[in-house]
Amino acid sequence: MTLSSLQLDILQELINIGVGRAAGMLNQMVNTHIQLQVPVLRVLAPDQLAKLYATRPNSVFSAVQLAFTGEFAGISALIFPPESAAKLINVVLGNGAMPGADGSMRTATLQEVGNIVLNGVMGSIANILGEPLRYSPPDYLEADISSIIGQGDGMILVASTQFSMKDHLIDGEVLIIFSLTSFDSLLTSIDALAAG
């Protein structure tokens, strides 16, 4: 599926606004300056994304997933390579907290960060397009990319971004997985916004 340059520009701007909003909320949460780089946006089919990730050295990712329903429905996910997840936990919990930090605290920390980022991004898309969304509670999993994106025939928005905090660069990606019908609804809303 090919998007027009205007559709891509609007999608990129919606994601940028959401990422900016999420960065502001994360700054308050960890009480340190977090900068989220403007993400590079790509629209891929699930098999294209799986091929792209197959070339990476580590096949297991830490992921927070947030399902959403409404005029368009799907799953948004914030995924980190393991080393980025560990760095993020270190920064959020403080370096001294790591040795004693149990698995549930690590999971809760990543879930909270993922929830903030994904709500920021999805909330901005929903608000600007005037399409209310309902969310399920976030889930945390460690899995390969195929398990994270599932076996659908939809389209995936991939926004690669970097968190900069306390001299650390942490790589992460926001994936928004739509069914084909939902993706068509999203593009219809974007076209209506552009025409308005």
Side-chain angles (χ1 to χ4, degrees), residues 23-150:
M25 289 159 63
L26 284 174
N27 284 334
Q28 292 173 350
M29 176 183 145
V30 298
N31 210 9
T32 187
H33 182 66
I34 296 176
Q35 191 174 351
L36 285 172
Q37 306 295 336
V38 173
V40 176
L41 183 68
R42 287 171 292 182
V43 180
L44 301 171
D47 59 329
Q48 294 173 307
L49 184 66
K51 278 184 200 149
L52 187 69
Y53 276 81
T55 63
R56 298 193 178 185
N58 199 316
S59 61
V60 175
F61 296 89
S62 297
V64 178
Q65 291 184 327
L66 189 69
F68 57 92
T69 56
E71 183 61 29
F72 25 88
I75 296 171
S76 56
L78 177 62
I79 66 170
F80 298 103
E83 64 280 4
S84 283
K87 272 198 242 176
L88 181 62
I89 291 164
N90 257 346
V91 173
V92 174
L93 295 181
N95 289 326
M98 259 322 274
D102 61 8
S104 63
M105 187 180 275
R106 293 166 45 84
T107 299
T109 301
L110 287 171
Q111 263 185 308
E112 186 58 27
V113 170
N115 196 26
I116 288 170
V117 171
L118 296 172
N119 267 301
V121 171
M122 295 310 301
S124 292
I125 291 172
N127 292 342
I128 293 167
L129 295 179
E131 300 288 359
L133 297 176
R134 291 174 300 286
Y135 306 100
S136 301
D139 284 324
Y140 175 76
L141 67 158
E142 291 178 10
D144 63 14
I145 198 67
S146 300
S147 303
I148 294 168
I149 62 175

Side-chain angles (χ1 to χ4, degrees), residues 6-7 10-11 14 129 185-195:
L6 180 59
Q7 287 171 328
I10 290 173
L11 263 178
L14 292 174
L129 295 179
S185 300
L186 175 70
L187 293 183
T188 302
S189 295
I190 285 172
D191 291 340
L193 180 70

Side-chain angles (χ1 to χ4, degrees), residues 120-182:
V121 171
M122 295 310 301
S124 292
I125 291 172
N127 292 342
I128 293 167
L129 295 179
E131 300 288 359
L133 297 176
R134 291 174 300 286
Y135 306 100
S136 301
D139 284 324
Y140 175 76
L141 67 158
E142 291 178 10
D144 63 14
I145 198 67
S146 300
S147 303
I148 294 168
I149 62 175
Q151 301 299 318
D153 62 348
M155 296 303 288
I156 303 173
L157 298 182
V158 183
S160 306
T161 187
Q162 276 191 328
F163 296 70
S164 312
M165 53 177 99
K166 288 188 180 170
D167 303 322
H168 291 286
L169 275 182
I170 297 164
D171 293 313
E173 285 177 308
V174 175
L175 307 178
I176 307 175
I177 304 151
F178 293 98
S179 67
L180 284 177
T181 349
S182 283

